[in-house]
């Protein structure tokens, strides 16, 4: 009885505020509440995705893997007029058939669950054209990365160009979503070059050459990793850094709904830990998207000069994607909100002497063709409950990446894969 009462109290502590706060069905963590909103928050939001997938043609054991892909829970609102906040926690890869993913990388390289603070941001929007965002949030590089959350992607996985940009970091950024109602928007910020999430160009390489990019803390003697060198501390907290940062910027133009074009880029200093490493990393991206009456398109090209700080290891990626929402095209009734989608993508490495790239991978390219269909249970709130089905067909030099899996880009498929995902959000 006592356990039941405790469980009931915990459920009430979570669900009652959720029912009170969730006055909207907006599950996007990227959108702050407008100044004229009648609901200033706090709003509790989140989503969960359960995914099953199976690969074919591996010449080994093949079976269904079923588990939690993304689980997110956040709160956002307006503190005072002009000041908004957003905090989000994540449990990604929290569980799969066979047990928890925590620590699984010790057996299967690259397989692990992640949990922690996803976003912790405060936005000062007193001047709409010159707003200031501080905290941990998305680095403004890449259209798909910055304009889409995990709950409104066209496909189950993002494109491979995630490997050539940045994810989230701690920093400060000036930005505006629409400069003087012209459709022009921009972002310009400075970020710490250590606290990056995910597998991207600015995190340490998980292969044979780790340790050149991220600098966790500094010291007065310039020894970035030596915690015994007497760093200045206030209340036990380090107060000096290393002088190595990431600078990122983005500029774009929106002509809704037909066209949205965007150019973004970033540069970061590295640790310079050896002769095979680069002194800096430069990444840039150009993208376009738009559509009308249910027809949608999106395309991007990404380039990085030194992948994860490895000297001479350059990467390129491009993709084109098309989708057609049959309900928005008035071809299906309300209860049949179906959206077919297709994406073709090519990723390639370009190495040089000293880059450490195996000869089989140097110059190799990986193609992924993704054929998918999305079904939303409620067309007026499509991301509150939906199902996604994807089939991915790799081609090109997929065999080279199978032989050197540590060089496979993030979200790259090297075997035919069928994936099915169920989503619920609030």
């Amino acid at each position: 009885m006592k356990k039941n009462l405790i469980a009931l109290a915990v459920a009430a502590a979570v669900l009652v505020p959720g029912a009170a706060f969730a006055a909207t069905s907006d599950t996007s963590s990227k959108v702050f509440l407008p100044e004229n909103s009648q609901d200033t928050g706090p709003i509790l939001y989140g989503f969960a995705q359960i995914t099953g997938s199976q690969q074919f043609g591996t010449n080994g054991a093949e079976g269904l893997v079923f588990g939690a892909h993304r689980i997110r829970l956040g709160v956002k609102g307006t503190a005072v007029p002009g000041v908004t906040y957003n905090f989000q926690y994540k449990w990604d890869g929290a569980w799969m058939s066979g047990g928890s993913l925590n620590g699984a990388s010790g057996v299967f390289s690259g397989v692990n669950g992640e949990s922690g603070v996803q976003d912790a941001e405060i936005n000062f929007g007193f001047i709409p054209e010159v707003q200031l965002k501080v905290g941990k949030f998305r680095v403004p590089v890449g259209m798909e990365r910055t304009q889409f959350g995990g709950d409104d992607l066209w496909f189950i996985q993002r494109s491979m160009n995630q490997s050539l940009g940045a994810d989230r970091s701690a920093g400060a950024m000036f930005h505006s979503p629409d400069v003087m109602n012209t459709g022009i928007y921009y972002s310009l910020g400075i970020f710490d070059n250590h606290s990056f999430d995910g597998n991207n160009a600015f995190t340490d390489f998980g292969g044979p050459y780790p340790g050149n990019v991220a600098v966790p803390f500094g010291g007065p003697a310039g020894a970035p990793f030596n915690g015994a060198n007497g760093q200045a501390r206030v209340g036990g907290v380090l107060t000096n850094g290393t002088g190595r940062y990431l600078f990122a910027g983005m500029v774009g133009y929106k002509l809704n709904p037909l066209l949205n074009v965007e150019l973004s880029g970033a540069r970061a200093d590295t640790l310079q830990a050896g002769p095979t490493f680069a002194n800096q990393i430069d990444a840039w991206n150009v993208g376009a998207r738009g559509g009308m009456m249910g027809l949608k398109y999106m395309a991007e090209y990404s380039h990085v000069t030194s992948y994860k700080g490895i000297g001479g290891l350059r990467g390129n990626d491009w993709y084109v994607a098309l989708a057609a929402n049959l309900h928005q095209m008035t071809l299906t009734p309300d209860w049949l909100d179906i959206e077919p989608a297709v994406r073709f993508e090519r990723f390639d490495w370009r190495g040089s002497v000293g880059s450490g790239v195996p000869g089989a991978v140097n110059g190799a390219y990986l193609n992924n063709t993704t054929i998918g269909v999305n079904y939303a249970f409620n067309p007026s709130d499509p991301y509150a409950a939906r199902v996604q089905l994807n089939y991915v067909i790799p081609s090109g030099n997929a065999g080279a990446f199978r032989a050197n899996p540590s060089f496979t880009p993030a979200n790259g498929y090297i075997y035919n894969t069928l994936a099915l995902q169920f989503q619920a959000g609030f």
Side-chain angles (χ1 to χ4, degrees), residues 7-98:
L8 180 61
V10 172
V14 174
L15 296 177
V16 171
F21 293 164
T24 76
S25 59
D26 176 21
T27 61
S28 172
S29 64
K30 305 184 296 298
V31 180
F32 284 102
L33 293 173
E35 284 301 305
N36 59 359
S37 174
Q38 298 300 312
D39 189 346
T40 60
I43 293 176
L44 189 68
Y45 69 92
F47 65 91
Q49 294 173 337
I50 307 301
T51 306
S53 63
Q54 180 168 346
Q55 293 184 324
F56 305 94
T58 64
N59 296 320
E62 295 177 354
L64 176 68
V65 174
F66 188 77
H69 185 195
R70 302 182 185 98
I71 301 176
R72 307 285 169 81
L73 182 64
V75 61
K76 62 183 176 181
T78 299
V80 297
V83 180
T84 53
Y85 59 87
N86 174 50
F87 301 96
Q88 183 182 187
Y89 201 87
K90 70 174 181 179
W91 296 266
D92 288 354
W95 184 90
M96 64 179 287
S97 53

Side-chain angles (χ1 to χ4, degrees), residues 27 35 37 134 145 220 227 232 242 256-257 261 266 276 279 293 344 379:
T27 61
E35 284 301 305
S37 174
V134 296
R145 166 55 61 186
T242 62
N256 288 328
V261 292
T276 61
N279 294 336
M293 299 295 294
F344 178 81

Side-chain angles (χ1 to χ4, degrees), residues 304-328:
V304 66
T305 58
S306 301
Y307 183 60
K308 299 195 175 183
I310 301 176
L313 179 54
R314 305 181 303 278
N316 301 281
D317 179 84
W318 63 268
Y319 75 85
V320 291
L322 301 172
N325 189 292
L326 302 185
H327 176 67
Q328 294 178 8

Side-chain angles (χ1 to χ4, degrees), residues 135 139 168-172 189-196 202 213-217 241-247 268-269:
V139 176
R168 288 170 167 86
S169 187
I190 179 173
F191 299 84
D192 174 45
N193 81 329
H194 170 62
S195 58
F196 290 99
F202 298 97
V213 180
V215 183
F217 46 76
T242 62
R244 291 180 171 87
Y245 308 99
L246 178 139
F247 299 90
D269 296 328

Side-chain angles (χ1 to χ4, degrees), residues 80 152 247 254 305 331 349 368 386 398 402 406:
V80 297
D152 59 355
F247 299 90
K254 288 184 179 179
T305 58
L331 298 177
W349 292 125
N368 275 182
R386 67 171 178 164
R402 294 169 189 168
S406 61

Side-chain angles (χ1 to χ4, degrees), residues 26-205:
D26 176 21
T27 61
S28 172
S29 64
K30 305 184 296 298
V31 180
F32 284 102
L33 293 173
E35 284 301 305
N36 59 359
S37 174
Q38 298 300 312
D39 189 346
T40 60
I43 293 176
L44 189 68
Y45 69 92
F47 65 91
Q49 294 173 337
I50 307 301
T51 306
S53 63
Q54 180 168 346
Q55 293 184 324
F56 305 94
T58 64
N59 296 320
E62 295 177 354
L64 176 68
V65 174
F66 188 77
H69 185 195
R70 302 182 185 98
I71 301 176
R72 307 285 169 81
L73 182 64
V75 61
K76 62 183 176 181
T78 299
V80 297
V83 180
T84 53
Y85 59 87
N86 174 50
F87 301 96
Q88 183 182 187
Y89 201 87
K90 70 174 181 179
W91 296 266
D92 288 354
W95 184 90
M96 64 179 287
S97 53
S100 172
L101 285 177
N102 186 29
S105 58
V107 181
F108 304 102
S109 177
V111 178
N112 211 346
E114 294 182 354
S115 63
V117 175
Q118 181 84 329
D119 297 290
E121 52 188 301
I122 300 174
N123 191 70
F124 300 89
F126 300 108
I127 305 175
E129 281 70 34
V130 189
Q131 302 185 46
L132 174 63
K133 184 186 294 187
V134 296
K136 181 189 177 186
F137 49 89
R138 298 176 190 270
V139 176
V141 178
M143 175 173 280
E144 183 188 44
R145 166 55 61 186
T146 57
Q147 295 193 18
F148 289 84
D151 60 337
D152 59 355
L153 292 169
W154 294 9
F155 305 92
I156 294 175
Q157 291 283 30
R158 297 182 185 273
S159 59
M160 291 184 282
N161 76 0
Q162 178 174 319
S163 289
L164 304 184
D167 199 334
R168 288 170 167 86
S169 187
M173 182 178 75
F174 291 102
H175 70 102
S176 174
D178 191 354
V179 179
M180 300 182 68
N181 298 318
T182 60
I184 298 173
Y185 61 94
Y186 76 92
S187 299
L188 183 64
I190 179 173
F191 299 84
D192 174 45
N193 81 329
H194 170 62
S195 58
F196 290 99
D197 294 346
N199 181 14
N200 61 75
F202 298 97
T203 53
D204 275 336
F205 186 60

